[in-house]
Amino acid sequence: DTEVTQTPKHLVMGMTNKKSLKCEQHMGHRAMYWYKQKAKKPPELMFVYSYEKLSINESVPSRFSPECPNSSLLNLHLHALQPEDSALYLCASSQGRGAGTEAFFGQGTRLTVV
Amino acid sequence: AQSVAQPEDQVNVAEGNPLTVKCTYSVSGNPYLFWYVQYPNRGLQFLLKYITGDNLVKGSYGFEAEFNKSQTSFHLKKPSALVSDSALYFCAVRDEDSNYQLIWGAGTKLIIKP
């Protein structure tokens, strides 16, 4: 099973709302990632969790708050977002550290902030 | 500084013809190179990678890529294109000291015409 599952697939939220994106993998991968992707652009790394600890935060605004409850789950909590935060949010996982390790991506959550 | 260049925004190929999507890179150490594909409204799918060894790497869906160290290139190829290959293709690189962060190319839209 090489699947990363993201829910919901689509989300529309107001600027005062609080919502969460969820990601799950059962491949035994120990690194999990959040990416943001604008249309027809490459993905931008937001956060990396390694062995359930936050390893990388790419200077992401605090209105995005990641959480890794266990090695299979990754959440992204959203609060007071701006319209420019509308994008495809991708979760990925990889076996662990190592420059030659490929990541497996979920299908993404299409987020629209109104 | 590390970088990846995909010099063509779009590549058009007739079905049944061979296809090439170009990628050149710049890293300070040994490169670890990846190709991903993204179908409309979907996440990214891993196609293939080069770590070391044979310069010709075979991947999913009949794709292959050739690593050329002297030309710092990693072009994606397929002998006979299918209409279903139409998608957005991303090349990415890490150097040997980077565990998580990928440097992405801008992407190339591949259109296969029947």
Side-chain angles (χ1 to χ4, degrees):
Chain A
D1 182 8
T2 56
E3 192 170 300
V4 176
T5 304
Q6 289 187 244
T7 55
K9 287 186 169 46
H10 301 275
L11 179 63
V12 179
M13 61 184 291
M15 290 188 283
T16 59
N17 291 161
K18 286 185 181 180
K19 297 286 185 182
S20 296
L21 309 185
K22 298 186 183 300
C23 174
E24 190 168 6
Q25 58 89 13
H26 295 288
M27 295 178 278
H29 288 173
R30 303 314 301 265
M32 296 187 75
Y33 311 70
W34 281 115
Y35 283 88
K36 174 184 177 180
Q37 187 183 27
K38 291 284 198 178
K40 300 181 183 179
K41 298 292 187 184
E44 302 168 35
L45 184 64
M46 300 174 72
F47 303 103
V48 180
Y49 274 82
S50 176
Y51 292 83
E52 301 162 48
K53 292 190 185 329
L54 185 63
S55 180
I56 294 176
N57 176 343
E58 290 287 344
S59 303
V60 179
S62 60
R63 57 186 184 268
F64 295 91
S65 175
E67 178 194 19
C68 188
N70 60 54
S71 60
S72 299
L73 294 174
L74 187 66
N75 299 322
L76 186 63
H77 303 297
L78 313 173
H79 173 56
L81 294 192
Q82 303 297 310
E84 59 265 28
D85 296 321
S86 299
L88 182 66
Y89 287 84
L90 294 164
C91 174
S93 69
S94 66
Q95 206 156 17
R97 295 166 61 90
T101 304
E102 66 273 24
F104 293 88
F105 286 79
Q107 299 216 21
T109 294
R110 176 76 59 189
L111 175 67
T112 303
V113 181
V114 296
Chain B
Q2 299 179 74
S3 65
V4 175
Q6 292 182 244
E8 300 152 319
D9 290 336
Q10 184 170 308
V11 171
N12 297 298
V13 178
E15 187 177 26
N17 283 1
L19 69 87
T20 298
V21 183
K22 295 180 181 177
C23 172
T24 59
Y25 66 90
S26 174
V27 296
S28 53
N30 290 322
Y32 295 83
L33 294 149
F34 303 82
W35 275 103
Y36 286 86
V37 60
Q38 187 171 33
Y39 297 99
N41 300 312
R42 303 286 291 272
L44 284 84
Q45 293 181 33
F46 168 72
L47 279 178
L48 50 78
K49 67 180 179 182
Y50 173 82
I51 300 176
T52 187
D54 194 347
N55 289 343
L56 185 63
V57 178
K58 293 189 184 298
S60 305
Y61 313 121
F63 284 94
E64 57 189 29
E66 186 167 10
F67 172 66
N68 187 317
K69 188 173 183 178
S70 62
Q71 296 185 6
T72 62
S73 67
F74 189 56
H75 300 332
L76 182 70
K77 300 182 180 185
K78 187 173 183 182
S80 178
L82 299 172
V83 172
S84 57
D85 293 329
S86 299
L88 186 57
Y89 290 79
F90 290 102
C91 179
V93 69
R94 284 194 191 105
D95 73 17
E96 56 195 344
D97 295 324
S98 176
N99 286 314
Y100 299 115
Q101 180 67 280
L102 275 168
I103 307 301
W104 295 85
T108 298
K109 185 176 182 180
L110 178 64
I111 297 176
I112 310 299
K113 298 184 177 179

